[in-house]
Amino acid sequence: AQSVTQLGSHVSVSEGALVLLRCNYSSSVPPYLFWYVQYPNQGLQLLLKYTTGATLVKGINGFEAEFKKSETSFHLTKPSAHMSDAAEYFCAVRNSGGGADGLTFGKGTHLIIQP
Amino acid sequence: EPEVTQTPSHQVTQMGQEVILRCVPISNHLYFYWYRQILGQKVEFLVSFYNNEISEKSEIFDDQFSVERPDGSNFTLKIRSTKLEDSAMYFCASNPQFYNEQFFGPGTRLTVL
């Protein structure tokens, strides 16, 4: 079964500081990994994804993530935080690798940006 | 830009009543999904749907739940007899082909009293 662990339910950083949100996964199939962002009272928006190929993937809003198979990790980073980055962030892994794949999500990390 | 839409945005119902949550996926998408998010908890997969049949479902998706694509544009989730624990935000999602990103709708907040 697939699982995703996000370390830290809340992460607080200062504006302009590095953002690091941690994600570790367990998958019985080659992992396809995703980071989604959820702003208050809104749906989920894809930040970036890893399927195959380059292990460092770049997404929207200056975010990037690196797939490390040996560490079963897919941590999300951004060099310089903006106030607008304050949101809930979810890491997810595909379920089965076949058909219409559902996603298994982590519990989410609430990112707080301090002025 | 095309987007997934969901109606209603908020549904309040009495325990034991049937509810139907509606979604309009992006028009050229082929795969459809329902997820739920209980307040303060993670997003949980319920079911995926392709070619007019269920492709995958989770343990949560028991006999009380059903999905349908009645008219080629709508995608519905029916809960036959709601329970208090069904109170959650329900998200619909769709994608055009294998392994591409799933596009999520804004959600329907279901409150069961």
Side-chain angles (χ1 to χ4, degrees):
Chain A
Q2 321 302 87
S3 68
V4 175
T5 301
Q6 291 184 240
L7 191 62
S9 59
H10 291 78
V11 170
S12 180
V13 302
S14 299
E15 190 174 18
L18 171 72
V19 175
L20 170 61
L21 304 183
R22 299 179 187 273
C23 172
N24 288 89
Y25 69 91
S26 171
S27 177
S28 56
V29 297
Y32 284 16
L33 296 156
F34 307 83
W35 274 100
Y36 281 85
V37 61
Q38 184 181 32
Y39 297 101
N41 300 314
Q42 294 188 27
L44 300 166
Q45 180 184 9
L46 183 74
L47 279 176
L48 48 79
K49 63 182 178 184
Y50 168 80
T51 54
T52 58
T55 56
L56 181 63
V57 293
K58 296 185 185 300
I60 62 172
N61 302 338
F63 284 93
E64 62 182 39
E66 186 171 12
F67 168 62
K68 292 187 177 181
K69 185 177 179 180
S70 61
E71 299 177 7
T72 60
S73 69
F74 191 57
H75 301 331
L76 181 71
T77 61
K78 182 174 180 177
S80 177
H82 295 164
M83 295 299 292
S84 60
D85 294 328
E88 192 82 15
Y89 291 79
F90 294 94
C91 182
V93 64
R94 66 168 176 165
N95 283 352
S96 61
D101 255 341
L103 299 175
T104 294
F105 284 85
K107 292 186 176 180
T109 297
H110 186 64
L111 178 62
I112 301 163
I113 310 296
Q114 306 276 8
Chain B
E1 182 175 337
E3 58 184 21
V4 177
T5 59
Q6 291 185 243
T7 55
S9 58
H10 191 189
Q11 172 102 37
V12 181
T13 189
Q14 295 290 326
M15 189 171 55
Q17 294 296 304
E18 174 184 287
V19 295
I20 298 176
L21 309 183
R22 303 181 191 280
C23 168
V24 179
I26 296 172
S27 63
N28 63 342
H29 287 190
L30 301 176
Y31 303 93
F32 313 112
Y33 311 83
W34 283 101
Y35 295 82
R36 80 173 185 189
Q37 184 181 29
I38 296 172
L39 187 63
Q41 299 186 26
K42 66 179 180 180
V43 178
E44 300 173 291
F45 168 73
L46 294 178
V47 65
S48 60
F49 192 85
Y50 168 69
N51 199 25
N52 283 319
E53 61 183 23
I54 290 174
S55 181
E56 181 186 6
K57 61 182 181 179
S58 72
E59 293 176 351
I60 303 168
F61 194 87
D62 61 21
D63 292 344
Q64 291 298 311
F65 292 90
S66 63
V67 290
E68 189 178 30
R69 189 157 162 79
D71 57 13
S73 62
N74 289 283
F75 180 51
T76 62
L77 174 70
K78 181 192 292 187
I79 309 175
R80 288 189 182 78
S81 178
T82 50
K83 308 182 185 72
L84 295 176
E85 53 265 37
D86 293 327
S87 294
M89 181 73 88
Y90 287 81
F91 293 106
C92 174
S94 67
N95 66 272
Q97 62 186 6
F98 288 146
Y99 311 135
N100 276 1
E101 67 174 282
Q102 294 180 19
F103 293 79
F104 282 76
T108 292
R109 181 167 297 285
L110 176 65
T111 302
V112 182
L113 302 177

